[in-house]
Amino acid sequence: MPNLKAIPFLLALAVATPALAQFSGPSIQGGEATVAAALDAQLGSYHTLEGSIVSHLRDDYYLFRDSTGEIRVEIAPGRFGGRQIGPEDTVRIMGEVDRGIAGRYVWVKSLEAVN
């Protein structure tokens, strides 16, 4: 007769094991780009930009600047991760190029402080 106390443990182990797996292939985070490139990029493409958030425009919209220009970015409050980010800080953002009534913008999926 099987050990009935071991069955729940074995079931829990079988269910938890896939959670330990990690993907080891390439990541589609978006290529390194500039604001100028993002302004000309295909809608829906992903890009990584490095520069500064220079001002708050309204709601979740900010003005992002690098050495090639400026673009509007949409950053959900949770993307800041509780960090205080100012115009003097360099950040790396990864997001999707989109277009709205006010023109092109980058919908930010991740934000990382560089300095």
Side-chain angles (χ1 to χ4, degrees):
M1 181 171 189
N3 184 348
L4 295 179
K5 291 181 181 179
I7 292 175
F9 173 76
L10 292 174
L11 287 174
L13 182 62
V15 172
T17 300
L20 300 175
Q22 294 181 353
F23 181 69
S24 62
S27 175
I28 301 176
Q29 292 185 4
E32 286 289 331
T34 62
V35 167
L39 288 169
D40 290 330
Q42 179 179 350
L43 293 178
S45 61
Y46 284 81
H47 298 279
T48 301
L49 307 172
E50 193 169 305
S52 300
I53 300 168
V54 295
S55 64
H56 178 239
L57 301 173
R58 64 174 178 81
D59 301 325
D60 292 346
Y61 291 94
Y62 299 84
L63 188 62
F64 179 87
R65 179 184 299 149
D66 72 4
S67 61
T68 67
E70 297 176 339
I71 192 168
R72 215 168 32 106
V73 294
E74 180 181 5
I75 307 172
R79 299 279 184 234
F80 286 98
R83 298 170 294 214
Q84 294 293 318
I85 303 289
E88 67 283 350
D89 297 312
T90 302
V91 296
R92 185 175 299 120
I93 60 173
M94 191 277 290
E96 178 183 2
V97 175
D98 206 345
R99 182 175 50 218
I101 294 172
R104 280 184 182 255
Y105 68 96
V106 175
W107 182 20
V108 176
K109 306 294 185 175
S110 70
L111 182 147
E112 171 187 356
V114 175
N115 61 352

